[in-house]
Amino acid sequence: MSEQPLRRYGTVMGICILAGMAGGVVAGVVAGTSDEASLGGAALIAAAVALAMAAGLWACFRWWKGLDEAAQEAHKWAWWWGSTVGLAFASVILMTLRYGVGDLGEAPVKDTLMLGTVLVAGCQTVGYGIAWAAWWLKRR
């Protein structure tokens, strides 16, 4: 691996860490935490999460560069079609649960947002898996 991509990945990781620290401070201020110890703790936790995310991003870049062109195309196609269809299903399910069935209509907004997040991520992942398998089965 040449020096240039490593420098670019390092820059991306540094930006992620700084964004995480800023996000932690903003979250502390928004939550009403005014003492410096709490703000520092929130920034430290956010920086640790950002560092973990940056390390994951770096690992993903390394993994992606190691794939051959066919595998890259399979993943891109599966993400485009599978996750889009999964998002559509998740939207219909969430709207049905929120406005059609009743119980969720009385739930707090926070619970509905969390359910929506899990539902969308799950449906997109399942759609991606099905589309990825279909792509490879069609080309075998």
PDB file of all heavy atoms in Angstrom, residues 86-102 104-105 109 111-121 123:
ATOM      1  N   GLY A  86     -35.489  -3.349   1.086  1.00  0.00           N
ATOM      2  CA  GLY A  86     -35.626  -3.491   2.536  1.00  0.00           C
ATOM      3  C   GLY A  86     -36.118  -2.214   3.191  1.00  0.00           C
ATOM      4  O   GLY A  86     -36.950  -2.244   4.106  1.00  0.00           O
ATOM      5  N   LEU A  87     -35.626  -1.073   2.726  1.00  0.00           N
ATOM      6  CA  LEU A  87     -36.085   0.215   3.257  1.00  0.00           C
ATOM      7  C   LEU A  87     -37.554   0.438   2.959  1.00  0.00           C
ATOM      8  O   LEU A  87     -38.310   0.918   3.814  1.00  0.00           O
ATOM      9  CB  LEU A  87     -35.248   1.349   2.662  1.00  0.00           C
ATOM     10  CG  LEU A  87     -35.599   2.761   3.094  1.00  0.00           C
ATOM     11  CD1 LEU A  87     -35.400   2.933   4.597  1.00  0.00           C
ATOM     12  CD2 LEU A  87     -34.744   3.762   2.341  1.00  0.00           C
ATOM     13  N   ALA A  88     -37.987   0.059   1.766  1.00  0.00           N
ATOM     14  CA  ALA A  88     -39.402   0.205   1.414  1.00  0.00           C
ATOM     15  C   ALA A  88     -40.278  -0.665   2.314  1.00  0.00           C
ATOM     16  O   ALA A  88     -41.303  -0.200   2.831  1.00  0.00           O
ATOM     17  CB  ALA A  88     -39.628  -0.150  -0.053  1.00  0.00           C
ATOM     18  N   PHE A  89     -39.869  -1.916   2.515  1.00  0.00           N
ATOM     19  CA  PHE A  89     -40.628  -2.805   3.410  1.00  0.00           C
ATOM     20  C   PHE A  89     -40.658  -2.254   4.834  1.00  0.00           C
ATOM     21  O   PHE A  89     -41.699  -2.259   5.487  1.00  0.00           O
ATOM     22  CB  PHE A  89     -40.034  -4.217   3.415  1.00  0.00           C
ATOM     23  CG  PHE A  89     -40.528  -5.073   2.298  1.00  0.00           C
ATOM     24  CD1 PHE A  89     -39.676  -5.455   1.278  1.00  0.00           C
ATOM     25  CD2 PHE A  89     -41.841  -5.506   2.259  1.00  0.00           C
ATOM     26  CE1 PHE A  89     -40.122  -6.253   0.239  1.00  0.00           C
ATOM     27  CE2 PHE A  89     -42.305  -6.298   1.226  1.00  0.00           C
ATOM     28  CZ  PHE A  89     -41.439  -6.672   0.215  1.00  0.00           C
ATOM     29  N   ALA A  90     -39.512  -1.797   5.318  1.00  0.00           N
ATOM     30  CA  ALA A  90     -39.452  -1.267   6.681  1.00  0.00           C
ATOM     31  C   ALA A  90     -40.351  -0.049   6.831  1.00  0.00           C
ATOM     32  O   ALA A  90     -41.022   0.116   7.859  1.00  0.00           O
ATOM     33  CB  ALA A  90     -38.012  -0.904   7.041  1.00  0.00           C
ATOM     34  N   SER A  91     -40.394   0.805   5.832  1.00  0.00           N
ATOM     35  CA  SER A  91     -41.247   1.994   5.893  1.00  0.00           C
ATOM     36  C   SER A  91     -42.721   1.611   5.973  1.00  0.00           C
ATOM     37  O   SER A  91     -43.472   2.170   6.779  1.00  0.00           O
ATOM     38  CB  SER A  91     -41.011   2.879   4.668  1.00  0.00           C
ATOM     39  OG  SER A  91     -39.680   3.311   4.628  1.00  0.00           O
ATOM     40  N   VAL A  92     -43.130   0.649   5.157  1.00  0.00           N
ATOM     41  CA  VAL A  92     -44.522   0.199   5.184  1.00  0.00           C
ATOM     42  C   VAL A  92     -44.856  -0.435   6.530  1.00  0.00           C
ATOM     43  O   VAL A  92     -45.895  -0.142   7.138  1.00  0.00           O
ATOM     44  CB  VAL A  92     -44.805  -0.783   4.021  1.00  0.00           C
ATOM     45  CG1 VAL A  92     -46.149  -1.447   4.181  1.00  0.00           C
ATOM     46  CG2 VAL A  92     -44.711  -0.050   2.691  1.00  0.00           C
ATOM     47  N   ILE A  93     -43.965  -1.284   7.029  1.00  0.00           N
ATOM     48  CA  ILE A  93     -44.203  -1.938   8.322  1.00  0.00           C
ATOM     49  C   ILE A  93     -44.284  -0.909   9.441  1.00  0.00           C
ATOM     50  O   ILE A  93     -45.185  -0.955  10.282  1.00  0.00           O
ATOM     51  CB  ILE A  93     -43.100  -2.972   8.611  1.00  0.00           C
ATOM     52  CG1 ILE A  93     -43.192  -4.138   7.625  1.00  0.00           C
ATOM     53  CG2 ILE A  93     -43.196  -3.487  10.038  1.00  0.00           C
ATOM     54  CD1 ILE A  93     -41.976  -5.050   7.650  1.00  0.00           C
ATOM     55  N   LEU A  94     -43.349   0.035   9.457  1.00  0.00           N
ATOM     56  CA  LEU A  94     -43.340   1.035  10.524  1.00  0.00           C
ATOM     57  C   LEU A  94     -44.577   1.923  10.478  1.00  0.00           C
ATOM     58  O   LEU A  94     -45.179   2.214  11.519  1.00  0.00           O
ATOM     59  CB  LEU A  94     -42.075   1.887  10.445  1.00  0.00           C
ATOM     60  CG  LEU A  94     -41.880   2.869  11.589  1.00  0.00           C
ATOM     61  CD1 LEU A  94     -41.806   2.120  12.923  1.00  0.00           C
ATOM     62  CD2 LEU A  94     -40.633   3.685  11.382  1.00  0.00           C
ATOM     63  N   MET A  95     -44.971   2.343   9.286  1.00  0.00           N
ATOM     64  CA  MET A  95     -46.174   3.175   9.171  1.00  0.00           C
ATOM     65  C   MET A  95     -47.424   2.395   9.585  1.00  0.00           C
ATOM     66  O   MET A  95     -48.322   2.939  10.221  1.00  0.00           O
ATOM     67  CB  MET A  95     -46.343   3.704   7.746  1.00  0.00           C
ATOM     68  CG  MET A  95     -45.314   4.710   7.355  1.00  0.00           C
ATOM     69  SD  MET A  95     -45.388   6.132   8.464  1.00  0.00           S
ATOM     70  CE  MET A  95     -43.805   6.842   8.185  1.00  0.00           C
ATOM     71  N   THR A  96     -47.461   1.114   9.229  1.00  0.00           N
ATOM     72  CA  THR A  96     -48.590   0.280   9.641  1.00  0.00           C
ATOM     73  C   THR A  96     -48.634   0.134  11.159  1.00  0.00           C
ATOM     74  O   THR A  96     -49.692   0.258  11.778  1.00  0.00           O
ATOM     75  CB  THR A  96     -48.504  -1.110   8.986  1.00  0.00           C
ATOM     76  OG1 THR A  96     -48.480  -0.934   7.567  1.00  0.00           O
ATOM     77  CG2 THR A  96     -49.678  -1.976   9.372  1.00  0.00           C
ATOM     78  N   LEU A  97     -47.477  -0.116  11.753  1.00  0.00           N
ATOM     79  CA  LEU A  97     -47.430  -0.244  13.210  1.00  0.00           C
ATOM     80  C   LEU A  97     -47.755   1.076  13.909  1.00  0.00           C
ATOM     81  O   LEU A  97     -48.451   1.107  14.913  1.00  0.00           O
ATOM     82  CB  LEU A  97     -46.041  -0.717  13.661  1.00  0.00           C
ATOM     83  CG  LEU A  97     -45.679  -2.161  13.373  1.00  0.00           C
ATOM     84  CD1 LEU A  97     -44.232  -2.414  13.767  1.00  0.00           C
ATOM     85  CD2 LEU A  97     -46.602  -3.102  14.124  1.00  0.00           C
ATOM     86  N   ARG A  98     -47.245   2.159  13.371  1.00  0.00           N
ATOM     87  CA  ARG A  98     -47.412   3.461  14.031  1.00  0.00           C
ATOM     88  C   ARG A  98     -48.832   3.994  13.897  1.00  0.00           C
ATOM     89  O   ARG A  98     -49.401   4.497  14.854  1.00  0.00           O
ATOM     90  CB  ARG A  98     -46.421   4.460  13.435  1.00  0.00           C
ATOM     91  CG  ARG A  98     -46.523   5.861  13.984  1.00  0.00           C
ATOM     92  CD  ARG A  98     -45.935   5.922  15.373  1.00  0.00           C
ATOM     93  NE  ARG A  98     -45.840   7.309  15.794  1.00  0.00           N
ATOM     94  CZ  ARG A  98     -46.452   7.782  16.866  1.00  0.00           C
ATOM     95  NH1 ARG A  98     -47.186   7.014  17.611  1.00  0.00           N
ATOM     96  NH2 ARG A  98     -46.326   9.042  17.195  1.00  0.00           N
ATOM     97  N   TYR A  99     -49.396   3.898  12.708  1.00  0.00           N
ATOM     98  CA  TYR A  99     -50.681   4.553  12.473  1.00  0.00           C
ATOM     99  C   TYR A  99     -51.842   3.591  12.249  1.00  0.00           C
ATOM    100  O   TYR A  99     -52.986   3.995  12.312  1.00  0.00           O
ATOM    101  CB  TYR A  99     -50.573   5.499  11.279  1.00  0.00           C
ATOM    102  CG  TYR A  99     -49.570   6.585  11.514  1.00  0.00           C
ATOM    103  CD1 TYR A  99     -48.385   6.635  10.803  1.00  0.00           C
ATOM    104  CD2 TYR A  99     -49.800   7.559  12.478  1.00  0.00           C
ATOM    105  CE1 TYR A  99     -47.451   7.631  11.023  1.00  0.00           C
ATOM    106  CE2 TYR A  99     -48.871   8.557  12.708  1.00  0.00           C
ATOM    107  CZ  TYR A  99     -47.704   8.588  11.982  1.00  0.00           C
ATOM    108  OH  TYR A  99     -46.795   9.568  12.227  1.00  0.00           O
ATOM    109  N   GLY A 100     -51.570   2.323  11.965  1.00  0.00           N
ATOM    110  CA  GLY A 100     -52.652   1.427  11.613  1.00  0.00           C
ATOM    111  C   GLY A 100     -53.093   0.475  12.694  1.00  0.00           C
ATOM    112  O   GLY A 100     -54.274   0.205  12.842  1.00  0.00           O
ATOM    113  N   VAL A 101     -52.174  -0.029  13.477  1.00  0.00           N
ATOM    114  CA  VAL A 101     -52.500  -1.085  14.423  1.00  0.00           C
ATOM    115  C   VAL A 101     -52.972  -0.537  15.760  1.00  0.00           C
ATOM    116  O   VAL A 101     -53.831  -1.112  16.398  1.00  0.00           O
ATOM    117  CB  VAL A 101     -51.284  -2.029  14.600  1.00  0.00           C
ATOM    118  CG1 VAL A 101     -51.586  -3.111  15.611  1.00  0.00           C
ATOM    119  CG2 VAL A 101     -50.909  -2.633  13.270  1.00  0.00           C
ATOM    120  N   GLY A 102     -52.405   0.541  16.224  1.00  0.00           N
ATOM    121  CA  GLY A 102     -52.938   1.156  17.434  1.00  0.00           C
ATOM    122  C   GLY A 102     -51.993   1.219  18.603  1.00  0.00           C
ATOM    123  O   GLY A 102     -51.776   2.275  19.143  1.00  0.00           O
ATOM    124  N   LEU A 104     -48.752   1.025  19.001  1.00  0.00           N
ATOM    125  CA  LEU A 104     -47.580   1.858  18.825  1.00  0.00           C
ATOM    126  C   LEU A 104     -47.951   3.329  18.694  1.00  0.00           C
ATOM    127  O   LEU A 104     -47.126   4.203  18.951  1.00  0.00           O
ATOM    128  CB  LEU A 104     -46.793   1.393  17.600  1.00  0.00           C
ATOM    129  CG  LEU A 104     -45.369   1.894  17.476  1.00  0.00           C
ATOM    130  CD1 LEU A 104     -44.560   1.496  18.694  1.00  0.00           C
ATOM    131  CD2 LEU A 104     -44.735   1.356  16.237  1.00  0.00           C
ATOM    132  N   GLY A 105     -49.182   3.600  18.340  1.00  0.00           N
ATOM    133  CA  GLY A 105     -49.623   4.986  18.221  1.00  0.00           C
ATOM    134  C   GLY A 105     -49.562   5.746  19.536  1.00  0.00           C
ATOM    135  O   GLY A 105     -49.439   6.953  19.563  1.00  0.00           O
ATOM    136  N   VAL A 109     -42.322   8.940  21.501  1.00  0.00           N
ATOM    137  CA  VAL A 109     -41.617   9.166  20.236  1.00  0.00           C
ATOM    138  C   VAL A 109     -40.254   8.479  20.250  1.00  0.00           C
ATOM    139  O   VAL A 109     -39.831   7.896  19.254  1.00  0.00           O
ATOM    140  CB  VAL A 109     -41.473  10.679  19.969  1.00  0.00           C
ATOM    141  CG1 VAL A 109     -40.617  10.943  18.756  1.00  0.00           C
ATOM    142  CG2 VAL A 109     -42.837  11.311  19.801  1.00  0.00           C
ATOM    143  N   ASP A 111     -39.335   5.734  21.721  1.00  0.00           N
ATOM    144  CA  ASP A 111     -39.489   4.298  21.459  1.00  0.00           C
ATOM    145  C   ASP A 111     -39.784   4.032  19.991  1.00  0.00           C
ATOM    146  O   ASP A 111     -39.288   3.067  19.409  1.00  0.00           O
ATOM    147  CB  ASP A 111     -40.603   3.713  22.328  1.00  0.00           C
ATOM    148  CG  ASP A 111     -40.264   3.729  23.801  1.00  0.00           C
ATOM    149  OD1 ASP A 111     -39.071   3.894  24.139  1.00  0.00           O
ATOM    150  OD2 ASP A 111     -41.191   3.587  24.622  1.00  0.00           O
ATOM    151  N   THR A 112     -40.603   4.877  19.398  1.00  0.00           N
ATOM    152  CA  THR A 112     -40.928   4.718  17.986  1.00  0.00           C
ATOM    153  C   THR A 112     -39.688   4.929  17.117  1.00  0.00           C
ATOM    154  O   THR A 112     -39.466   4.197  16.156  1.00  0.00           O
ATOM    155  CB  THR A 112     -42.032   5.707  17.572  1.00  0.00           C
ATOM    156  OG1 THR A 112     -43.149   5.529  18.436  1.00  0.00           O
ATOM    157  CG2 THR A 112     -42.464   5.481  16.142  1.00  0.00           C
ATOM    158  N   LEU A 113     -38.864   5.911  17.465  1.00  0.00           N
ATOM    159  CA  LEU A 113     -37.633   6.151  16.710  1.00  0.00           C
ATOM    160  C   LEU A 113     -36.673   4.971  16.823  1.00  0.00           C
ATOM    161  O   LEU A 113     -36.060   4.554  15.837  1.00  0.00           O
ATOM    162  CB  LEU A 113     -36.952   7.429  17.185  1.00  0.00           C
ATOM    163  CG  LEU A 113     -37.630   8.727  16.787  1.00  0.00           C
ATOM    164  CD1 LEU A 113     -36.952   9.909  17.458  1.00  0.00           C
ATOM    165  CD2 LEU A 113     -37.613   8.895  15.283  1.00  0.00           C
ATOM    166  N   MET A 114     -36.550   4.419  18.015  1.00  0.00           N
ATOM    167  CA  MET A 114     -35.668   3.272  18.200  1.00  0.00           C
ATOM    168  C   MET A 114     -36.189   2.056  17.425  1.00  0.00           C
ATOM    169  O   MET A 114     -35.420   1.339  16.792  1.00  0.00           O
ATOM    170  CB  MET A 114     -35.512   2.931  19.681  1.00  0.00           C
ATOM    171  CG  MET A 114     -34.732   3.966  20.457  1.00  0.00           C
ATOM    172  SD  MET A 114     -33.096   4.308  19.767  1.00  0.00           S
ATOM    173  CE  MET A 114     -32.311   2.733  19.951  1.00  0.00           C
ATOM    174  N   LEU A 115     -37.485   1.824  17.483  1.00  0.00           N
ATOM    175  CA  LEU A 115     -38.076   0.726  16.722  1.00  0.00           C
ATOM    176  C   LEU A 115     -37.836   0.927  15.232  1.00  0.00           C
ATOM    177  O   LEU A 115     -37.471  -0.011  14.514  1.00  0.00           O
ATOM    178  CB  LEU A 115     -39.572   0.608  17.003  1.00  0.00           C
ATOM    179  CG  LEU A 115     -40.318  -0.412  16.150  1.00  0.00           C
ATOM    180  CD1 LEU A 115     -39.839  -1.827  16.468  1.00  0.00           C
ATOM    181  CD2 LEU A 115     -41.809  -0.293  16.342  1.00  0.00           C
ATOM    182  N   GLY A 116     -38.021   2.146  14.763  1.00  0.00           N
ATOM    183  CA  GLY A 116     -37.803   2.444  13.349  1.00  0.00           C
ATOM    184  C   GLY A 116     -36.363   2.215  12.933  1.00  0.00           C
ATOM    185  O   GLY A 116     -36.093   1.655  11.860  1.00  0.00           O
ATOM    186  N   THR A 117     -35.434   2.601  13.784  1.00  0.00           N
ATOM    187  CA  THR A 117     -34.020   2.407  13.479  1.00  0.00           C
ATOM    188  C   THR A 117     -33.687   0.925  13.352  1.00  0.00           C
ATOM    189  O   THR A 117     -33.038   0.494  12.393  1.00  0.00           O
ATOM    190  CB  THR A 117     -33.155   3.051  14.579  1.00  0.00           C
ATOM    191  OG1 THR A 117     -33.460   4.439  14.651  1.00  0.00           O
ATOM    192  CG2 THR A 117     -31.684   2.863  14.306  1.00  0.00           C
ATOM    193  N   VAL A 118     -34.130   0.153  14.322  1.00  0.00           N
ATOM    194  CA  VAL A 118     -33.860  -1.287  14.293  1.00  0.00           C
ATOM    195  C   VAL A 118     -34.569  -1.946  13.116  1.00  0.00           C
ATOM    196  O   VAL A 118     -33.997  -2.794  12.419  1.00  0.00           O
ATOM    197  CB  VAL A 118     -34.282  -1.931  15.633  1.00  0.00           C
ATOM    198  CG1 VAL A 118     -34.248  -3.437  15.558  1.00  0.00           C
ATOM    199  CG2 VAL A 118     -33.401  -1.430  16.762  1.00  0.00           C
ATOM    200  N   LEU A 119     -35.796  -1.549  12.874  1.00  0.00           N
ATOM    201  CA  LEU A 119     -36.571  -2.125  11.776  1.00  0.00           C
ATOM    202  C   LEU A 119     -35.934  -1.822  10.424  1.00  0.00           C
ATOM    203  O   LEU A 119     -35.786  -2.721   9.580  1.00  0.00           O
ATOM    204  CB  LEU A 119     -37.998  -1.593  11.826  1.00  0.00           C
ATOM    205  CG  LEU A 119     -39.022  -2.239  10.916  1.00  0.00           C
ATOM    206  CD1 LEU A 119     -39.198  -3.704  11.276  1.00  0.00           C
ATOM    207  CD2 LEU A 119     -40.338  -1.513  11.024  1.00  0.00           C
ATOM    208  N   VAL A 120     -35.527  -0.578  10.208  1.00  0.00           N
ATOM    209  CA  VAL A 120     -34.907  -0.206   8.934  1.00  0.00           C
ATOM    210  C   VAL A 120     -33.580  -0.936   8.750  1.00  0.00           C
ATOM    211  O   VAL A 120     -33.321  -1.513   7.692  1.00  0.00           O
ATOM    212  CB  VAL A 120     -34.721   1.324   8.847  1.00  0.00           C
ATOM    213  CG1 VAL A 120     -33.798   1.705   7.713  1.00  0.00           C
ATOM    214  CG2 VAL A 120     -36.067   2.002   8.673  1.00  0.00           C
ATOM    215  N   ALA A 121     -32.735  -0.938   9.786  1.00  0.00           N
ATOM    216  CA  ALA A 121     -31.444  -1.613   9.670  1.00  0.00           C
ATOM    217  C   ALA A 121     -31.626  -3.107   9.427  1.00  0.00           C
ATOM    218  O   ALA A 121     -30.924  -3.703   8.596  1.00  0.00           O
ATOM    219  CB  ALA A 121     -30.609  -1.373  10.926  1.00  0.00           C
ATOM    220  N   CYS A 123     -34.315  -4.717   8.097  1.00  0.00           N
ATOM    221  CA  CYS A 123     -34.876  -4.979   6.763  1.00  0.00           C
ATOM    222  C   CYS A 123     -33.846  -4.727   5.668  1.00  0.00           C
ATOM    223  O   CYS A 123     -33.779  -5.474   4.688  1.00  0.00           O
ATOM    224  CB  CYS A 123     -36.123  -4.137   6.534  1.00  0.00           C
ATOM    225  SG  CYS A 123     -37.564  -4.710   7.447  1.00  0.00           S
TER     226      CYS A 123
END
